[in-house]
Each structure stands twice: as structure tokens, then as C-alpha cells.
Amino acid sequence: MLKSSRFTFFTTIILALLFVLAGCGGAKEEAEPKKEKTEEATSYTVEHAMGTTEIKGTPKRVVILTNEGTEALLALGVKPVGAVKSWTGNPWYDHIKDKMDGVKELGTEGEPNVEAIAALKPDLIIGNKMRHEKIYEQLKAIAPTVFAETLRGDWKENFMLYAKAVNKEEKGKEVLAEYDKRVEDLKAKLGDKLKMKVSIVRFMAGDVRIYHKDTFSGVILDQLGFARPESQNVNDFAERGVTKERIPAMDGDILFYFTYEEGNGEATKLEKEWINDPLFKNLNVAKQGKVYKVNDAIWNTAGGVLAAHLMLDDIEKYFLEN
């Protein structure tokens, strides 16, 4: 009887050990797929204007080569290590300079400094085919590089590409959802004022432009549902090189103009000349006192989500507070 009990006892111990070993083996088998899943999550591909780029790990050192791209990164909570200087400002627009402390300035959007980019040792470079196609091969030799196709009015398309590039797609969707909700809320407040025909004019040194719908301000006005003067209600960029004979095409129920001043005073001089011209003063919109100068960076040049919110602030000011 004692011998049988010992046999039973040892048998139980052996079976218990086998179960433990089997459990360890199973845990190991289960752990391996999880490891593979983690490795997959740290490597992803992005389709863009120049092809497909593989990015390993969420980028920590991002270089951005467009102004609207800088705004996109800031809205996503990503401070770039380097960025091209703002079109105006020293070197950043007033509305972003408090967020750009410590960011290396990398030349202009049209001519970024490739050597300075390389010196930052980035793990991601974001650029634009329209601006930087000629240096794409140089850039991708430095770090994985993603290019948007173009720079026009539809900033949201580029924004989501950048969000994917920095592995923050969900955050990107949240940012756009917040913006779209604000647009819908503002539309409801504007009501019948959306029937007003909004005219957009820009002054530059040696050039006057009437802006159409495929522009930064044009896209925002269109999403809000504003009417546009007939000659401006077209899906292209702008009428450039406008002469004074075309001043009547600037008429509308309300007119916003902005001036791109490079520092020599030439654009401001041209602006004053046109605004004080008898043909301009004879416009119905001028007679009604509905001509307003707005910030060029906000309504046009910055081109990003932060500027879009500030433009909505202006719309509220001029349509709901005046």
C-alpha cells in the first residue's frame, strides 16, 4: 500500500511538471507572434508624389520644407528639427513663432539648404514635388523622404499625407474633424450672409491678382458656402498680371485684399495706388464701404491648418461682429 502511494505521488509530480513545461512552451509560442506584430508596427510605407517610401519607427527628427507643412506638423504636436523660413517674418510667421523655438531655419521653400538638412541627421524629410522635385534624389539619400504633389488650395489632402508620414493618422483625423465642425458651426451662424459675393484680390510688387476658388482662401470660402463674383467662381488659381481695365471684375458684395510685402515697400505702394484709383473707388463694394485689408500670411501665404483657423476668426469678425 505504501509502495502504491509513493508511485501515485511521483506520478502526480511528473504530470504536474509536464503541464508546467507545456504551459511555458505555449506562452513562448504566443509571445513570438506579439513580437512580430510590434516589429510590423514600427515599419510602415507611405505612398506619395514620388513613389513609395518605407519609414522605420515613428520619426523623431523631422525636417519640413514647406510653410503649410510646418503648420501641419505643429497641429499634429510634432516640432520639426528644421524647417524652411516663413515667406514673411524673421524667420517665422507671427502666428507660429512662439511654437518654433529651437527649430533650425533651412533656407527658403524655393531653395532649401541641402547641406544644412543633412547636418541635422533627420529620420524623415517632407517636401513638395512642385517645389523640390529636382533635389528629391539628394534628399532621399539623407533620410526617408515624402513629397506632396502640389501646393494649391486643398490643404487638407497634404495635411493627411503629412499625418501618415509622421505616423499620426488618428491625430490628423481629429484635427480635421475639429476644423470641419467649426466650419459647420460658423455656416449656421452666417445664415443668409453666405449669399454675399466675396471678392479676393492680392497685391504684389509688380503684380496684381484676382484670386479664384483653387486658392487657400478660395477653398475655405467654398467650404463655408459663400458665393463668389461670376468671374471668380471658377476652379482654378487666379487671374495674374491684372491691369486697371480689369478693376470692374473685382466688384462684389464684400472685398478682401491682402498684400505680399517683401520689405522694399513696392507692394504697399502698388496697393495704395490701386485702392485710391477712381475706377476702384467707383466699385459698388467700395461705395458701400465693404473693402477690407486682411493679413497675407493668414489668408494666403501660410496655407496651413493654423492659418485656416485664424481666417475663420477673421470671417467671424467681418461678418458677425461688424
Side-chain angles (χ1 to χ4, degrees), residues 97-117:
K97 63 183 181 182
D98 63 333
K99 302 175 180 68
M100 296 291 283
D101 185 47
V103 178
K104 173 73 174 177
E105 185 248 296
L106 298 171
T108 66
E109 188 171 296
E111 294 184 10
N113 186 326
V114 177
E115 289 183 1
I117 294 169

Side-chain angles (χ1 to χ4, degrees), residues 272-317:
K272 290 179 179 177
E273 176 192 331
W274 278 61
I275 296 299
N276 291 305
D277 190 277
L279 275 174
F280 190 92
K281 288 188 172 183
N282 196 47
L283 293 174
N284 287 326
V285 70
K287 290 177 180 178
Q288 295 297 318
K290 292 292 184 180
V291 176
Y292 301 103
K293 181 175 182 177
V294 290
N295 188 293
D296 183 85
I298 301 305
W299 281 64
N300 185 68
T301 319
V305 62
L306 303 181
H309 274 286
L310 292 171
M311 181 174 162
L312 293 183
D313 289 345
D314 280 350
I315 295 293
E316 289 190 55
K317 172 185 172 183

Side-chain angles (χ1 to χ4, degrees), residues 4-15:
S4 174
S5 297
R6 286 179 179 173
F7 176 82
T8 303
F9 173 78
F10 285 118
T11 301
T12 303
I13 293 296
I14 290 168
L15 288 172

